[in-house]
Amino acid sequence: MVFYCKRFINDKTGCGLFSSKKISISTNIIKTDSMITTLDKPYFKTICNHCLAVQDNLKRCSTCKHLRYCSERCQRLDWKLHKLECAHLCKVPIEHQVPPLIRLCALLVSSSDLRSNFSIDSLMKHETLDNEKIAEYYPFVLKGVMDMLKGNTKFKAADTYDVYNKLVVNLFTLEDEQLRTVGSALIPELSKINHSCDPNCVLSFKGRTAYITAIKDIPKDTELTISYIPLPQSFLARKMQLRSQFNFTCYCIRCEMQRKKGVDEMLMRECPMCKEHSHPAINFEKEELMCPSCGKSLTNSNKVNDLILKNIESFDSTISTRAQQDVEIMNYLVEETEKLIVEKRWEAALRTGLKATVGLMDWAQNYPSTGLFIAKLGKLYLNEEGSSPKVYRDNINRAIQLFDMALKCLSLSLSSDHACFVEVEMMYRQSHDILRKFNWLK
């Protein structure tokens, strides 16, 4: 069933995808396997280069020794692409991994047929690389491509510039089924989907299959949008990241509303001058926050770490409310929780993480990352036996509540056979089994 159609918007935005009928929340709108993927360095040795399965003891390509596969079948299926770069990768020492962007550029520059098959010419690009960060990186990419394609008579520097410009705009972040960022993916079929800071769809991966799923009810003739960056974030944080990574300014409904109001309602700051506690005003020209009453700059004062570090360590009861009012405080709590989990400080991680959940459910309930984060907190309760049977029973019941919340979040954006959903569902059932074992079920 086709839920969407392509439609021209304007010269600046180009085309977009629009709903051709009413779409209900959690509907899978697009499913495609047509992509080229590259893995980031930390995952090169543990993820199959074709099916993207996580596995130990991957087998190297016997010729270039760079790419790894979980089976001969995956290696055969990947050969159609890999044969275009295998000889070039042979020139690179095994201990050096080619950066993903250079490898993708070289692959596409070396084959006009591949560019044609993946409709590279139809992809949007910026006419000039006026973004300083993106422009500065181009000479590094060009040198890497030239080194890889040395001796290739079809190589043209102009092709590299064109391909690089298009990849910068059109590459997607590749995630594994634990929602970790593991690389990049070029998916031409999805490149017509534009960004919004308040998206109605989400992109997810199951192996090398990409899915676009509705996270809201979408009326007919509505543009389908996803977020190109992690959300939620404050207005200036979103603006800076989009400009730095994708070289554009967002004019979505959320951004335009914030421009019209002139304040960032996702932040709450206390002015050191007049002591007013309110949503900060935005100075769009200087790109900084100001007190709406006295006009004092709040950008270099009220640092998030200074604001809440004391509260985190003492676990002040007001921090949950502040995380609800200020997205930067909420994001800081999430990051701090992840660090505490890595450090195996389970109790501190649980207390800190729970204070972030209220804000997450308000601002990011429909995102898969929210469901996964809440499930991690449930797992902490599940592993905490407690000092007495009553404490243990209470912990299991709290774990069940969190797993239930997590499954409701995940069900909006992931299929029921997605590895992340399956794992959380299994922990939910294990928790009920424990209650049955001790006759604690009510």
Side-chain angles (χ1 to χ4, degrees), residues 113-132:
D113 288 341
L114 186 63
R115 295 198 299 275
S116 176
N117 291 341
F118 278 86
S119 305
I120 301 301
D121 291 340
S122 67
L123 297 179
M124 279 282 290
K125 69 174 182 178
H126 296 295
E127 293 305 315
T128 58
L129 292 178
D130 54 0
N131 179 289
E132 184 177 331

Side-chain angles (χ1 to χ4, degrees), residues 68-133:
R68 291 173 168 84
Y69 301 95
C70 64
S71 65
E72 291 182 4
R73 179 178 180 274
C74 276
Q75 187 171 6
R76 284 197 305 271
L77 291 171
D78 196 51
W79 181 243
K80 183 178 179 180
L81 276 179
H82 183 46
K83 68 181 179 182
L84 301 173
E85 62 176 351
C86 189
H88 302 307
L89 286 173
C90 287
K91 303 170 188 174
V92 182
I94 298 175
E95 62 273 14
H96 296 157
Q97 185 193 338
V98 180
L101 191 53
I102 291 178
R103 188 179 149 219
L104 268 177
C105 275
L107 187 62
L108 292 168
V109 168
S110 68
S111 173
S112 58
D113 288 341
L114 186 63
R115 295 198 299 275
S116 176
N117 291 341
F118 278 86
S119 305
I120 301 301
D121 291 340
S122 67
L123 297 179
M124 279 282 290
K125 69 174 182 178
H126 296 295
E127 293 305 315
T128 58
L129 292 178
D130 54 0
N131 179 289
E132 184 177 331
K133 180 179 177 182

